[in-house]
Amino acid sequence: MFYYFDPLYLYLVLPALLLALFAQFKVQSTFNRYSQVYSGSRMTGAQAARAILDRNGLYDVRIEHVSGKLSDHYDPRTNVVRLSDSVYNNTSIAAIGVAAHETGHALQYAEGYSPIKLRAALIPITNIGSQLAIPLVLFGFLLDLLGLVYVGIILYSTMALFQLVTLPVEFNASSRALKILDTEGILYNDELDGAKKVLSAAALTYVAALIVSLAQLLRLIALFGRRRND
């Protein structure tokens, strides 16, 4: 019951969740808007990504079409940039901006960019934390075993750390994308502004995810301190 109805959830976590919902709405609406604005180059997202990769010597990075909307990502395990239905064959500035962002991650790995290496190292720990943190905290409170709560909080903190490390990774990928789109002439003045708005809206989702994680972490710490004092 404490997970849903305690005052800390209402006053600390709920505002953060509302911010996350707003961020999702913002990225969807901004992407939809600029999906209707087509680039002067008439390059598709896949073509733009291929051009960026080739011009940086990353000929071995493949580009694949995946289903879904905004399910785009770079997979370092298979060295593949995966572009969604709304990006792969789309010639809009939104599609090109998202495709360029994902190639930015490929460039980060190729250059040995430190934050992305740290984020990759945190993934196994974060996966464990996402599965065990809240159950350990719940069982710890129910059984009055504060040691379990403490372990759960530590595991949850790795999730917050992952979100924190994600911010410079995503901001840097977007910065790389916009710079390359400009210098390579793939997008022009007003088109670059539109792509920047799309990527800025996407960046807000990562900021919101960090705020949600920190709010939940602070709540758990406060509940732990209250129970320990009791």
Side-chain angles (χ1 to χ4, degrees), residues 146-167:
L146 295 187
L148 284 181
V149 178
Y150 184 71
V151 173
I153 290 174
I154 291 176
L155 289 175
Y156 196 90
S157 68
T158 64
M159 298 164 61
L161 178 60
F162 179 83
Q163 297 292 349
L164 179 62
V165 174
T166 292
L167 287 186

Side-chain angles (χ1 to χ4, degrees), residues 23 26-37 70 72 87 92-99 101 174 178 181 187 190-206:
K26 183 69 174 178
V27 71
Q28 290 284 349
S29 61
T30 306
F31 183 86
N32 288 341
R33 175 185 176 186
Y34 287 100
S35 288
Q36 305 304 315
V37 182
L70 294 179
D72 314 87
V87 171
S92 71
I93 61 177
I96 291 175
V98 170
H101 174 89
S174 291
L178 293 170
L181 291 174
L187 293 180
D190 292 341
E191 296 174 343
L192 280 169
D193 290 340
K196 183 176 181 179
K197 289 178 182 178
V198 171
L199 296 182
S200 295
L204 180 60
T205 64
Y206 296 104

